[in-house]
């Protein structure tokens, strides 16, 4: 039923890039800590960097659990499942790293997301994942669902924020700088969004 892959290429890469939503799972090292599972969408916010590396944009939200877990231990699993067409589930298990606005790699990584206006969504980090294990499974029990479009709400909510007001928003949220379990989350103050040329 399931198959392992050495790299993200060919049909596997085409499948991943065609999906409109994927999910990320992380956890702290503490066995009593909170496991985090997040849906990710927004067309153009995910990229295959090379055969073993993927990245996605981390936008403003009410917490920063994924960032906190990656800063502590780096473990992450990404999952895509087919909601139309042939059934399929793909998981990439690997090591992730949040790349923040003041990181010298920021501009180079942002080139992989040409269709995203970084000023519209409160972009706070780029999550880069190096694959260690790549597997697919059947997905026979995943229901058919159809994509109608991206929700405009996130962009309309955060496009009016400046760097300063976004930093103030993050300071007000309980689980941005610190995770639910007390781990370091998003480093604050938020650096200015680098200007693209």
């Amino acid at each position: 039923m399931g198959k392992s892959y050495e790299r993200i290429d060919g049909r596997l890469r085409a499948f991943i890039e065609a999906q409109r939503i994927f999910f990320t799972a992380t956890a702290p090292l503490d066995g009593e800590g909170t496991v985090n599972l997040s849906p990710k969408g927004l067309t153009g916010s995910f990229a295959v960097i090379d055969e073993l590396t993927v990245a996605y944009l981390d936008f403003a939200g009410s917490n920063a659990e994924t960032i906190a877990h990656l800063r502590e231990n780096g473990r992450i699993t990404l999952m895509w499942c087919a909601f139309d067409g042939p059934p399929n589930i793909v998981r990439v298990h690997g090591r992730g790293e949040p790349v923040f606005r003041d990181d010298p790699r920021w501009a180079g990584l942002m080139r992989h997301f040409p269709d995203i206006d970084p000023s519209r969504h409160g972009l706070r980090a780029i999550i880069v994942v190096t694959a260690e294990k790549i597997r697919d499974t059947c997905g026979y029990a995943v229901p058919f669902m159809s994509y109608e479009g991206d929700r405009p709400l996130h962009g309309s909510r955060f496009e009016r924020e400046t760097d300063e007001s976004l930093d103030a928003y993050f300071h007000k949220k309980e689980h941005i700088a610190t995770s639910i379990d007390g781990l370091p989350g998003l480093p604050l103050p938020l650096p200015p969004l680098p200007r693209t040329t």
Side-chain angles (χ1 to χ4, degrees):
M1 297 282 278
K3 182 179 176 183
S4 294
Y5 299 84
E6 292 185 4
R7 60 188 60 84
I8 302 166
D9 62 3
R11 286 186 304 114
L12 187 69
R13 178 173 179 162
F15 171 77
I16 287 173
E17 291 179 330
Q19 303 315 302
R20 298 293 187 166
I21 186 171
F22 66 99
F23 302 87
T24 67
T26 59
L29 292 176
D30 183 350
E32 299 298 315
T34 306
V35 175
N36 188 64
L37 178 64
S38 295
K40 304 295 179 185
L42 191 59
T43 301
S45 64
F46 171 83
V48 177
I49 307 296
D50 60 40
E51 293 178 336
L52 290 176
T53 312
V54 299
Y56 69 88
L57 302 180
D58 182 77
F59 299 115
S62 298
N63 61 43
E65 298 305 298
T66 301
I67 287 174
H69 296 159
L70 294 181
R71 290 182 70 190
E72 185 204 36
N73 62 65
R75 298 177 306 161
I76 188 168
T77 298
L78 302 134
M79 185 193 78
W80 298 259
C81 53
F83 292 112
D84 58 11
N88 194 19
I89 298 171
V90 173
R91 290 179 180 87
V92 171
H93 307 268
R95 310 297 291 183
E97 176 191 9
V99 175
F100 300 115
R101 292 172 163 207
D102 54 356
D103 190 297
R105 297 171 290 172
W106 181 275
L109 287 168
M110 279 305 299
R111 291 189 189 101
H112 294 279
F113 306 96
D115 298 328
I116 295 290
D117 176 353
S119 66
R120 289 198 66 229
H121 296 277
L123 181 58
R124 59 191 186 181
I126 303 167
I127 306 298
V128 178
V129 177
T130 302
E132 295 180 333
K133 185 183 293 185
I134 306 161
R135 290 191 47 81
D136 70 0
T137 52
C138 67
Y140 289 168
V142 175
F144 284 113
M145 290 191 280
S146 43
Y147 171 75
E148 296 181 16
D150 288 348
R151 293 180 190 263
L153 297 173
H154 195 275
S156 63
R157 162 62 186 87
F158 287 101
E159 68 185 349
R160 62 182 181 254
E161 299 286 356
T162 64
D163 290 335
E164 293 77 17
S165 65
L166 192 60
D167 180 68
Y169 170 83
F170 289 150
H171 272 91
K172 285 189 245 177
K173 294 293 181 183
E174 184 179 4
H175 298 301
I176 295 287
T178 306
S179 78
I180 292 170
D181 299 314
L183 296 172
L186 183 71
L188 297 175
L190 185 72
L193 186 67
R195 303 299 168 213
T196 56
T197 55

